[in-house]
Amino acid sequence: MRVPFEWLCELTGIEASVDDVATRLTNAGFEVGAIHRAGEHWDRIVVGEVVRIDPHPNADRLNLPTVNTGSEEIQVVCGAWNFEAGDRIAFAPAGARLWDPYADEPVLKELKPTRIRGVVSRGMLCSTKELGISDDHEGILVLDSGAPLGRPLAEALGGEVLEFELKANRPDALSVLGIAREAAALYGTQVRSPIPDDRAGEHGPSQPVQLQIDDPALCARYSAALVHDVKVGESPAWMRDRLEQAGVRPITTIVDATNYVMLELGQPLHAFDWETVRGGFIGVRTARPGERLVTLDGQDRELTPETLCIVDAEGPVALAGVMGGLDTEVTDTTATVLLESATFDPVSIRRTAHRLNLRSEASRRFEKGLPPELTVLALRRCVQLIEEIGAGRGEILTADAYPEPSDPAPVALAFDRIERLMGVAYDRGEVRQALSSLEFGLDEVCDELRVTSPFWRRDVTAPADVVEEVARLVGYERIPDTLPTGQVMDLAPGEIDERDDEARDVMAGLGFAECVTYALTSEARMARLVPPDLLDAPPDSPLGDEDAWATVRESAMDGAGRALADRLLPLDREPLRLRNPLSMEENVLRLTGLGTMLETLRANRRHADRDLLLFDFQPSFLARDGDLPEEPNFLTAVIGERVSAGRWNETGTVELPFVRGVVDELLARSGLPADEASHDDLQHPTFASGASAAVAYRGRLLAAYGEVDAEVAEAFDLDERSWALLVDMPAVREASAGPPSFSAWSEYPSALRDLAIVVDAEVSQAEVNDAILRAGRPLLQSARLFDEYRGEQIPPGKRSLAYALSYAAPDRTLTDKQADRAHNRVVRALQHRLGAELRG
Amino acid sequence: MQERLDALLTSARAELAVAADDAALEQWRVTHLGRRSELTGLLRSVGSLPREERREAGQAANAARRELEEALETRQTELRRGADGAQLDVTMPGYPVRLGSLHPLTRTLREIRRVLAPLGFRAVSGPEVEWDRYNFELLNIPADHPARDMWDTFHIDDKARPGELLLRTHTSPVQARVMEQIQPPVRVIVPGKVYRYEDRDASHEAEFMQVEGLAIDKHITMADLRGTLTYFVRAMFGPDRELRIRASYFPFTEPSAEAEMSCHACNGDGCPVCGGTGWIEILGSGMVHPKVLADVGYDPDVYQGFAFGMGVERIAMLKYGVTDIRSFYRNDLRFLRQLR
Ligand SMILES: [Zn+2]
């Protein structure tokens, strides 16, 4: 809200500087976001007086005013006609700087003497737009006749405007008077209320206005006053200035007066042309089926049954608190006006304003809940203003419906409660002083204060509210620094798992850079995880239908691939959709982070870094019926290239075993020994078959990794080979055995034997390894694969595997003979069970 | 004896001159200085010589041994220089041995947790997709309350329960979730992602991280809040930081306070970081509203406490000098590696 400083000073008698007032109000909870200073950029613009106006010899639409600047008389060429000789105006002599009203961007331009149609103009009469104080470019700014001749314009206009960023709890502060009350309390001055005394007796009702409120819950009070002999015209400059400074465009007298009261007191008023209101009747009720209203903006609206309306004897004439009707609008010919001052239900107004997207200065005030006591005060002030500006002759209160007057109960506050909450003492005098300066009624009973809120402070309903009033009035500087003492809680529900930190540390230790990605994504981005030929819809169109996913479901997947598609890369689930997305690029919550991570990989490839290992450890969102979605933290890693440690220029090629090495280390560090999980071929459309694997433990899928399918990579604009790793960390946690347990090793030397065998290529390494471990028991301590070979010296369809085996006994040094015997058992088992041949 | 030593030295020097790498040097060492070397044999045999010869022979053999050891060292040094005798260039870059990195938000979150842990705050998490009830109603923000305008909300399109599911707009719903489940004392912080229906620019994100703090007990006061915040900004931004708080409004606290710290970049003199004011807004806070306490089943006449909430990106931006909040979500390796 914009509050002209001069207006605020008038209501408070404060003489402090604008900066000081802004700071103190801000600290008390009324945040001043900006101080606008009219004329901050003005230069040499002064108050001038039009001495005479001559016609332009060569142009009928121009005239030649001569302006007295206080020190000289200057003739200019002017295109506006809204002034007369004797008027005081804003005058810019040549050399002054003005806003260029025709530029798109605000820009200051120096004014130069110019020749216009043969006559030299050595200055300019300014419009408010050229001065940068409003967008109104019609006509020049005519000042009060009392404006000091020759003085800088900024001085004459006053100037500073405080822009408040107000909070939702203080409807009273949406008014100059409300801010003034706070400021006066802070500075210890008396508020000078602009509300005139009750003169109802002098101007009684001239004719009956029949009021009817159907539901007091929707309209607590409706007050009305008639204004006769209405003259609709331009308001005086002082009123127009204040309206403009406060950000409201002046229109005509009656509307200006109602807006002025809204700004000053916070009560929105509405003016009806009384002669267009049928039947001398005003009612407040919700709309009936089929009712329509043409509103002030010219729109013919069908009214929904929950819309609160103002009606006359025949039907709706206004949307209560939101917008008036066109038929009852005050016009140039209006003779009698009915002023409405009412208290509408905040929720009803808020809903209607939101639904119709018609939020206004008025509806914003109603939404916050206005006190019913204010209606008659606002009417009184408005009638006074209308008479003062000669716009009509008003009745103070013609009719008033207030079916259920409310009287809020006082709040009981024990004095010691203040210290208990704030942690610092306030003496009683100080407490009373703070509260009474804000016009709270006080009644002290023993150690308790009964606090009655003034009618405009309906937000104060509980002891804590009163404590806040005291604390902020005294100032938060009073509060000291202490640290909480007392018992510390032990375990909290939902405690963050330290192992999440460990998983991040492990990945960073393995060379991966952590990314934090958006949870919002598009269906199109997720659909690119499936090769386009498996999709019905092209990948760039948002997949609004379920067919695309169904296609994936039907595609070649079995076992691990299907399990993967069900959870870790859930292509056959429906994502949670937003009702109000910012764009179609982010219209769903992600089922998987892989699409986003492949995009991140692509983006990083553009600047040609050769070490591309990225991971993300943020939740995916899996919908559940009748409950919040599951939000598992899946770990998603992508790999482009890596630089191998060893030389400066060697780029390590990424192959499947590198990714497996990462998986093994991560699982081991998560409490799941690498040899406990099984790795099997993966059939899944996102991964290249034959170069990808699924990791399971006791039949449950824990992870998947491998090379990204070439078509999928292409869909993400990745032309080099890319690798991905997905880990279901919650599942890993459930599978893990907890902290590792110690097992003793033999203290006697080990006997080492190498073993190279040739087996059918179909025999998996896991089978060989398993056979070795079984046959080597109990002396075999470990078997480590150190080579794989296929090629010339090996028959086609076969491969060679080489292992380093280590034998030891717990209680003695093995003799060569004993070691050989154990090793031969392993060799025989391989020959016998797997058809292996010893090599070399 | 001396003759044998001379012959041995001659052949050893000759062999050493052609030893060209570390392996050859080692072989040479074993041959000439090892336990089974001729020289070692000679040294051992000194004891069997006649008494009058022992002294001289021992000295000669030991001198030969020293000479060979020195020759070995010299040769090693020679080999480490290049062929032209130049020394290795120690300014050559190291081979790329690179750890990965933690995201700056992760690092900032960890620091916040580490700083607050000694005060007894335990870190908890809660769902990002939340019921309206937890995100708003249990925080004293009923439906159609104008305070709802403070949070532009993403709603989930849910046919079964329209309007009830949303993306949480703050981490505060976890306050209610924790309090519903346990009795005081409560002392938790809640880090996590939150969402606002808001166009992105350099200082606004639609998705960002918050940390919420909550302390409830019988005697926790606003002074404790202020003390905790002062401790926090000093631990995060240095011991010279000053804190100031001013009145504010949040529906779930009463009284409410906005906290600012003296600018760490200019020490309060005014600079671009603080917009020339010397102060930086850092978080919102207050004493938990009695209605919030009552709604989770706490007796507000017995229990009281404070809550605060801050944006993690904002803290990280101040700490690392980042000027565009969107940088945190672009995941550009140049950014991630700079701030590792
Ligand atoms: Zn600064």
Side-chain angles (χ1 to χ4, degrees), chain A residues 245-259:
Chain A
Q245 286 187 324
V248 173
R249 207 158 75 91
I251 300 169
T252 56
T253 39
I254 299 290
V255 179
D256 289 352
T258 59
N259 281 335

Side-chain angles (χ1 to χ4, degrees), chain A residues 149-467:
Chain A
L149 187 65
R151 299 297 304 159
L153 181 67
E155 209 172 285
L157 287 183
E160 299 100 339
V161 176
L162 298 168
E163 172 123 34
F164 287 90
E165 287 167 12
L166 292 171
K167 311 290 199 259
N169 62 329
R170 294 291 302 269
D172 65 302
L174 281 171
S175 68
V176 182
L177 179 60
I179 299 284
R181 287 191 184 112
E182 288 293 329
L186 290 169
Y187 282 88
T189 63
Q190 282 294 312
V191 175
R192 301 168 187 171
S193 172
I195 302 164
D197 294 339
D198 188 356
R199 298 181 298 140
E202 299 167 38
H203 300 268
S206 58
Q207 52 179 285
V209 172
Q210 201 194 331
L211 294 182
Q212 184 181 323
I213 295 171
D214 278 19
D215 183 356
L218 295 179
C219 176
R221 187 171 196 178
Y222 196 104
S223 314
L226 285 170
V227 178
H228 306 281
D229 307 330
V230 167
K231 287 181 213 51
V232 173
E234 189 173 78
S235 307
W238 67 265
M239 182 177 272
R240 294 163 55 85
D241 286 350
R242 278 191 172 174
L243 290 174
E244 286 196 343
Q245 286 187 324
V248 173
R249 207 158 75 91
I251 300 169
T252 56
T253 39
I254 299 290
V255 179
D256 289 352
T258 59
N259 281 335
Y260 189 95
V261 172
M262 175 178 74
L263 293 172
E264 189 176 58
L265 307 182
Q267 171 71 50
L269 303 173
H270 184 68
F272 294 98
D273 181 339
W274 182 238
E275 272 134 61
T276 64
V277 175
R278 297 156 295 191
F281 172 85
I282 290 282
V284 189
R285 61 164 169 81
T286 50
R288 291 178 183 147
E291 281 184 332
R292 309 185 70 86
L293 175 69
V294 180
T295 44
L296 275 175
D297 54 2
Q299 283 215 43
D300 186 359
R301 298 172 188 273
E302 182 167 346
L303 306 177
T304 52
E306 66 270 26
T307 309
L308 190 65
C309 307
I310 310 301
V311 298
D312 64 7
E314 290 173 39
V317 291
L319 301 173
V322 175
M323 192 178 258
L326 193 61
D327 290 346
T328 52
E329 187 186 12
V330 174
T331 65
D332 293 352
T333 58
T334 299
T336 307
V337 155
L338 180 86
L339 293 173
E340 162 198 291
S341 185
T343 312
F344 299 117
D345 173 48
V347 172
S348 169
I349 300 301
R350 183 176 160 86
R351 285 187 182 162
T352 303
H354 273 250
R355 193 175 58 246
L356 302 177
N357 201 16
L358 284 176
R359 302 189 72 189
S360 62
E361 289 282 315
S363 75
R364 253 180 257 282
R365 285 172 171 81
F366 284 121
E367 273 181 32
K368 295 192 172 159
L370 294 172
E373 292 83 350
L374 190 54
T375 61
V376 291
L377 304 179
L379 276 184
R380 223 191 275 162
R381 172 64 171 152
C382 191
V383 165
Q384 181 200 39
L385 278 171
I386 285 171
E387 293 188 345
E388 186 181 331
I389 66 175
R393 182 174 53 76
E395 297 174 6
I396 288 304
L397 182 64
T398 310
D400 184 23
Y402 189 12
E404 295 167 6
S406 66
D407 194 10
V411 178
L413 174 73
F415 276 105
D416 61 7
R417 178 106 186 202
I418 308 177
E419 182 171 356
R420 211 196 122 200
L421 195 63
M422 301 304 296
V424 63
Y426 293 80
D427 75 55
R428 292 186 181 196
E430 195 173 40
V431 171
R432 281 190 297 263
Q433 163 62 29
L435 291 173
S436 47
S437 73
L438 287 168
E439 300 179 55
F440 284 90
L442 301 179
D443 186 8
E444 199 170 328
V445 183
C446 300
D447 292 330
E448 198 174 271
L449 205 54
R450 304 243 165 96
V451 181
T452 310
S453 306
F455 73 78
W456 56 89
R457 291 302 307 276
R458 296 192 159 216
D459 58 302
V460 175
T461 57
D465 301 329
V466 182
V467 174

Side-chain angles (χ1 to χ4, degrees), chain A residues 351 482 490 508 518 609 648, chain B residues 93 100 122 144 155 205 224 337:
Chain A
R351 285 187 182 162
T482 56
D490 32 84
Y518 292 130
D609 198 298
W648 293 289
Chain B
R122 308 193 69 105
D144 298 303
H155 295 277
E205 249 299 344
D224 293 336
R337 284 189 185 139

Side-chain angles (χ1 to χ4, degrees), chain A residues 738-766:
Chain A
S741 54
F742 173 77
S743 63
W745 56 85
S746 169
E747 294 291 349
Y748 296 89
S750 305
L752 305 177
R753 299 286 183 278
D754 284 355
L755 171 67
I757 55 164
V758 175
V759 285
D760 285 346
E762 289 87 72
V763 175
S764 74
Q765 190 281 143

Side-chain angles (χ1 to χ4, degrees), chain A residues 351 359 420 468 476 481-482 490 494-495 508 514 518-519 577 579-580 586 604 609 611 631 646 648, chain B residues 93 95 100-101 106 122 125 128-129 144 149 153 155 157 200 205 207 224 226 254 256 304 333 337:
Chain A
R351 285 187 182 162
R359 302 189 72 189
R420 211 196 122 200
E468 181 178 57
Y476 279 9
D481 280 345
T482 56
D490 32 84
E495 192 133 356
E514 188 192 10
Y518 292 130
R577 291 185 171 75
R579 200 176 70 201
N580 54 337
E586 39 189 351
N604 278 298
D609 198 298
D611 203 3
E631 299 179 10
W648 293 289
Chain B
Y95 292 151
S101 52
T106 297
R122 308 193 69 105
S125 65
E128 294 178 18
V129 176
D144 298 303
D149 292 351
T153 311
H155 295 277
D157 189 16
R200 295 184 170 90
E205 249 299 344
E207 297 187 23
D224 293 336
R226 198 187 188 287
E254 185 86 14
S256 303
Q304 60 186 43
L333 276 168
R337 284 189 185 139

Side-chain angles (χ1 to χ4, degrees), chain B residues 263-276 278-280:
Chain B
C263 178
H264 59 294
C266 64
N267 235 348
D269 294 339
C271 73
V273 173
C274 54
W279 293 90
I280 295 176

